[in-house]
Amino acid sequence: MPTLRIAAAGDLHADERHGARIAEAFDQVANAADLVLLAGDLTAHGEPHEAEVVAAACARLEIPVYAVLGNHDYHAARVPELTSLLEAAGVVVLERSWTTASINGTSLGIAGTKGFVGGFPGSTLPDFGEPLLRRVYAETGKDVAALDRGLAEIADCRLRIALLHYSPTMSTLAGEPESIWTYLGSNRLDGPIQKHHPDLVFHGHAHAGTFAGAIGRVPVYNVAVHVMRRDFFVFELDTDAPGGQGAKLETAV
């Protein structure tokens, strides 16, 4: 049975204090997975010296690494520098973009974007009122459009993954105070997922949320390390099974 092993994690919040632990975690995953997905907040405050910790760990891997950035990575307004450091280490950084690869004979497509805020039924930001508020709404709209476009571009791949930082569903936010759900994601992001039905969705950001959820029949996993309580989860996929139905959790790293 053909399989693909995906090691996923988000919210590393790396800085020099965590360098040794992060290096060890990446070294361990090297033999446990066929690829790594990083769901944003790679750094503590978005500083290049923090990104160097993650880049150094990724550079030692011989398996591919794909990542999106998170709100922490944007904090210092040095995203181009962070992206350059990660890409120099071999990381494919996705931001409102998509990529394809052939891994273990399986065509893999990943549509990636940070996502943004907006809330969920019962508490959503409207496209109304002050221009600043409408700019926030429009910014989320750009992520929604990019996710839709990316998932369309990878439609012919055998395995299709949506990689986000912010959550597209309430199902993985349970455990977080409902009063902050508006800032943890947006149900507008679930539109492209319901339209294109990727096999898996990964996100982070909700540190006190729930590990496993769904959008319809599409499995969604909140892989923030605070939720998983470990450095990585490895998902082993039966690449012959449709719609992520062959996914199972493997040994955590």
Side-chain angles (χ1 to χ4, degrees):
M1 179 176 65
T3 62
L4 191 67
R5 299 169 301 164
I6 299 172
D11 301 81
L12 306 180
H13 295 175
D15 60 23
E16 292 85 348
R17 296 172 300 169
H18 305 126
R21 180 184 61 78
I22 288 173
E24 181 180 1
F26 276 77
D27 286 347
Q28 289 179 359
V29 87
N31 296 318
D34 301 306
L35 69 149
V36 171
L37 297 180
L38 300 176
D41 276 5
L42 310 184
T43 64
H45 300 98
E47 297 288 353
H49 63 86
E50 297 169 341
E52 288 173 356
V53 173
V54 180
C58 291
R60 295 149 63 109
L61 294 179
E62 296 183 359
I63 58 176
V65 182
Y66 304 91
V68 296
L69 300 182
N71 56 303
H72 279 240
D73 304 316
Y74 275 72
H75 179 71
R78 302 182 73 174
V79 167
E81 294 171 78
L82 267 61
T83 301
S84 294
L85 281 167
L86 293 166
E87 289 179 339
V91 179
V92 177
V93 180
L94 300 171
E95 175 52 22
R96 296 177 180 166
S97 58
W98 55 274
T99 190
T100 61
S102 179
I103 302 176
N104 290 357
T106 297
S107 60
L108 170 69
I110 305 170
T113 189
K114 173 175 62 66
F116 202 36
V117 301
F120 300 87
S123 180
T124 59
L125 293 177
D127 185 18
F128 182 83
E130 296 95 325
L132 183 58
L133 183 61
R134 297 190 70 190
R135 280 168 52 193
V136 172
Y137 185 93
E139 193 69 19
T140 302
K142 294 176 183 177
D143 285 291
V144 173
L147 184 59
D148 183 34
R149 183 170 58 251
L151 289 173
E153 292 287 352
I154 65 174
D156 293 334
C157 293
R158 182 67 193 84
L159 179 63
R160 297 164 299 126
I161 294 172
L163 181 61
L164 303 161
H165 180 61
Y166 285 83
S167 176
T169 173
M170 293 186 292
S171 64
T172 51
L173 297 184
E176 292 279 7
E178 290 189 23
S179 58
I180 68 169
W181 284 13
T182 301
Y183 308 104
L184 297 179
S186 171
N187 72 306
R188 295 171 64 198
L189 292 163
D190 77 3
I193 294 166
Q194 294 194 57
K195 176 181 177 181
H196 297 285
H197 301 286
D199 298 286
L200 290 170
V201 178
F202 294 106
H203 76 86
H205 191 48
H207 295 183
T210 299
F211 177 57
I215 295 174
R217 292 182 296 175
V218 178
V220 180
Y221 291 99
N222 175 2
V223 293
V225 295
H226 312 75
V227 173
M228 300 190 301
R229 299 186 183 279
R230 61 208 71 197
D231 294 306
F232 284 98
F233 244 107
V234 177
F235 300 76
E236 184 171 2
L237 303 177
D238 173 1
T239 56
D240 282 341
Q245 296 176 21
K248 64 177 181 178
L249 303 185
E250 283 295 293
T251 303
V253 178

